[in-house]
Amino acid sequence: MANIKFIKEDKEVVAADGANLREKAIENRIDIYTFMGKMTNCGGYGQCGTCIVEVVEGGENLSEKTDFEKRKLRKKPDNYRLSCQAIVNGPVTIKTKPKS
Ligand code: FES
């Protein structure tokens, strides 16, 4: 089991190991998309880059970055992930809609 803590929303949710971060957020009504992202997101296929989050703690408990993330997040800090590409395997702390 893994706890996912969303700091902006002050919400902690429990996920089974292997859960998809974006799906868990949506399931728990955590808003991961900005206004534009809501209109244009790819639905979790790693194509749009709008589901970006900042991993504040526990980055080592997420799956490795996918090739798409590596490309899409090239200019972003190392601890940024595309939530639809990240599989949760342990406790993590997430900041949604990071600036930059
Ligand atoms: S939802 Fe499009 S890249 Fe994650």
Side-chain angles (χ1 to χ4, degrees), residues 22 33 41-51 68 82-85:
R22 171 183 176 274
Y33 294 115
N41 78 81
C42 71
Y45 291 100
Q47 302 296 312
C48 67
T50 58
C51 63
F68 183 79
L82 296 180
S83 58
C84 73
Q85 304 292 295

Side-chain angles (χ1 to χ4, degrees), residues 7-62:
I7 46 177
K8 271 192 194 166
E9 295 77 7
D10 192 22
K11 198 165 181 179
E12 195 157 342
V13 308
V14 180
D17 285 353
N20 177 281
L21 182 55
R22 171 183 176 274
E23 280 168 19
K24 273 288 142 192
I26 291 174
E27 233 174 81
N28 290 282
R29 301 209 179 92
I30 301 288
D31 205 3
I32 50 167
Y33 294 115
T34 60
F35 180 71
M36 271 314 280
K38 280 194 190 74
M39 316 280 279
T40 60
N41 78 81
C42 71
Y45 291 100
Q47 302 296 312
C48 67
T50 58
C51 63
I52 194 166
V53 295
E54 179 181 345
V55 182
V56 180
E57 270 171 43
E60 69 280 5
N61 295 326
L62 293 173

Side-chain angles (χ1 to χ4, degrees), residues 55-90:
V55 182
V56 180
E57 270 171 43
E60 69 280 5
N61 295 326
L62 293 173
S63 54
E64 292 283 303
K65 279 186 188 163
T66 62
D67 288 346
F68 183 79
E69 286 184 277
K70 284 181 193 153
R71 246 176 295 139
K72 206 74 185 169
L73 303 175
R74 213 177 40 230
K75 294 185 185 135
K76 304 284 185 199
D78 242 20
N79 62 338
Y80 280 30
R81 297 291 308 261
L82 296 180
S83 58
C84 73
Q85 304 292 295
I87 302 299
V88 182
N89 294 312

